Amino acid sequence: FRSEVSRLLPDSEMSGGNGIAVSADGEQVYASAWAESRIVVLSRRGAPRREIALPFLPDNLRLLPDGSLAPFF
């Protein structure tokens, strides 16, 4: 039996969350806020939330081998 505990990251509320990726070091969580045309960047260490405005509605996210983030639309 395996048990896992989940917790919400502070300031993680968003409209239309539709994709998620985690940085290679596990420190950053990237979430697609589809309805807001943004990528939300959350820190697992408590740094302030950052937002990246996009000119399209991002759907899913993928972390590429070089560490960059690829949003899909």
Side-chain angles (χ1 to χ4, degrees):
F1 174 150
R2 183 174 163 197
S3 176
E4 294 185 28
V5 175
S6 298
R7 65 181 174 88
L8 291 176
L9 289 172
D11 201 21
S12 62
E13 298 82 15
M14 68 190 74
S15 180
N18 197 36
I20 193 165
V22 179
S23 63
D25 64 4
E27 297 298 319
Q28 303 293 320
V29 176
Y30 304 96
S32 168
W34 184 85
E36 299 170 6
S37 296
R38 298 181 187 279
I39 301 293
V40 175
V41 184
L42 303 167
S43 169
R44 295 184 65 209
R45 298 265 185 205
R49 168 184 172 139
R50 293 182 294 140
E51 296 184 0
I52 302 166
L54 301 171
F56 56 88
L57 299 171
D59 194 358
N60 292 306
L61 301 175
R62 182 174 12 165
L63 206 58
L64 300 177
D66 68 359
S68 61
L69 188 66
F72 294 89
F73 53 94

